[in-house]
Amino acid sequence: MKKRYSIFAKFRDGRYFYLNFNDPKILDCLKQVPPPEGLLAIAKWPINTHAEIEFFVELINGNISYYFLKDSITDIRETVIFNNTELDN
């Protein structure tokens, strides 16, 4: 079954990451990054798969240069670009 949402991200070390998910609550989590509690906050968030956890850990740690978010039903797309660091390629 095709997932409704997808995220394509570029890590600061040059790797790329692709994540598919259906739960719209994850979109709320994206709006909260970085959370005031840091990495401990993800224990309370509705993330379940290893890939979702990996994405949010990297995002909270500041290891993502940018990501593209797409809703396949409404075809709404969003690009989020983070400040460049010396690690960016």
Side-chain angles (χ1 to χ4, degrees), residues 9-45:
K10 182 179 183 213
F11 289 177
R12 295 195 188 279
D13 64 6
R15 293 178 295 141
Y16 291 93
F17 190 83
Y18 193 73
L19 175 65
N20 291 308
F21 59 96
N22 279 325
D23 192 349
K25 292 179 184 176
I26 291 178
L27 300 176
D28 295 332
C29 295
L30 284 172
K31 295 175 186 170
Q32 298 177 35
V33 172
E37 306 87 13
L39 287 174
L40 293 177
I42 67 174
K44 301 175 190 170
W45 287 356

Side-chain angles (χ1 to χ4, degrees), residues 55-85:
F55 174 76
F56 278 100
V57 167
E58 296 292 345
L59 186 61
I60 291 168
N61 284 332
N63 296 331
I64 295 181
S65 297
Y66 60 85
Y67 68 84
F68 302 111
L69 173 65
K70 179 183 176 192
D71 181 334
S72 63
I73 292 177
T74 63
D75 203 32
I76 293 175
R77 300 164 192 242
E78 179 182 1
T79 301
V80 178
I81 301 173
F82 299 99
N83 294 336
N84 290 338
T85 69

